Amino acid sequence: QNLLDEPGEAGTFARTRFQRALWVVKSLQQRQETLNKIGEILVREQIQFFNQGKIALRPLTQTAIAQEIGVHTSTISRAITGKWLNCPQGLFPLKYFFTSGNKKQKKAEPLSRSAIKEHIKTLIQKENRQNPHSDETLKKELHKLNICISRRTVTKYREELGHPAAAGRRRD
């Protein structure tokens, strides 16, 4: 005989535990569906990243995805916490793909902070070591690439990347 059909305390206990187990299973399925939807949107929105690498990472917020899926932002945050994506570009926490952008971007496709930092890193790696770029020169080089940021922002990103000022990068 089925324990759920038992009368009395044993049956009540079994039914209560069974309902809780069903709730847990349903919650796990819902989280998986949310994670799948997030993954689909990430791939769609960050397709250039998957084709070109870090330099093409676009701005994307958890709020934007939450609105598209129809859930609260905190649901997105909980779903991606501790989750990683392994792709040809490397292993990344899902939170890596949620980054703010440069609000000054005009005409060109908006770039994420991470992508702008990649451009700065590339410019510094390619510079002449006897005459390294100043932050102002880096700003002008970025403007040529339609990346419009201030010199102060260039300085901030350069420092975040761990590169010293031009004088500290000079090699004779």
Side-chain angles (χ1 to χ4, degrees), residues 59-106:
L60 183 64
T61 63
Q62 292 179 19
T63 303
I65 288 191
Q67 289 172 346
E68 184 170 336
I69 294 175
V71 298
H72 194 272
T73 304
S74 64
T75 303
I76 303 298
S77 179
R78 283 191 306 273
I80 66 173
T81 297
K83 308 294 187 313
W84 293 71
L85 176 69
N86 191 9
C87 59
Q89 289 74 17
L91 182 64
F92 298 93
L94 285 182
K95 287 189 177 197
Y96 175 83
F97 297 96
F98 296 94
T99 179
S100 61
N102 176 19
K103 293 178 178 40
K104 290 185 180 180
Q105 282 299 107
K106 303 223 169 38

Side-chain angles (χ1 to χ4, degrees), residues 15-171:
R15 284 187 295 278
T16 302
R17 295 296 179 204
F18 183 72
Q19 289 301 318
R20 286 184 184 171
L22 286 177
W23 180 83
V24 168
V25 168
K26 183 180 179 223
S27 296
L28 289 171
Q29 288 172 336
Q30 203 169 15
R31 177 66 56 92
Q32 185 61 48
E33 288 173 20
T34 300
L35 201 52
N36 286 342
K37 290 176 185 176
I38 292 168
E40 289 172 8
I41 295 169
L42 275 179
V43 169
R44 183 188 74 220
E45 295 297 319
Q46 300 293 7
I47 192 70
Q48 295 303 322
F49 167 85
F50 295 111
N51 291 330
Q52 299 171 18
K54 292 179 183 179
I55 209 148
L57 190 66
R58 298 182 64 225
L60 183 64
T61 63
Q62 292 179 19
T63 303
I65 288 191
Q67 289 172 346
E68 184 170 336
I69 294 175
V71 298
H72 194 272
T73 304
S74 64
T75 303
I76 303 298
S77 179
R78 283 191 306 273
I80 66 173
T81 297
K83 308 294 187 313
W84 293 71
L85 176 69
N86 191 9
C87 59
Q89 289 74 17
L91 182 64
F92 298 93
L94 285 182
K95 287 189 177 197
Y96 175 83
F97 297 96
F98 296 94
T99 179
S100 61
N102 176 19
K103 293 178 178 40
K104 290 185 180 180
Q105 282 299 107
K106 303 223 169 38
K107 309 170 193 167
E109 185 76 17
L111 291 175
S112 69
R113 292 172 50 134
S114 300
I116 295 169
K117 285 180 183 181
E118 283 296 313
H119 280 286
I120 291 171
K121 185 169 130 184
T122 301
L123 288 170
I124 289 173
Q125 288 171 344
K126 292 180 178 180
E127 71 188 359
N128 178 347
R129 294 294 178 200
Q130 281 81 35
N131 189 20
H133 297 310
S134 67
D135 291 341
E136 182 63 28
T137 305
L138 287 170
K139 179 190 98 165
K140 290 176 182 175
E141 291 296 316
L142 290 168
H143 278 250
K144 290 178 186 175
L145 299 170
N146 288 325
I147 302 171
C148 301
I149 61 174
S150 69
R151 185 212 38 89
R152 290 174 59 182
T153 304
V154 169
T155 301
K156 176 182 167 185
Y157 290 176
R158 176 186 49 74
E159 288 173 350
E160 288 175 6
L161 289 166
H163 291 287
R169 297 194 314 269
R170 182 169 284 120
R171 302 281 185 263

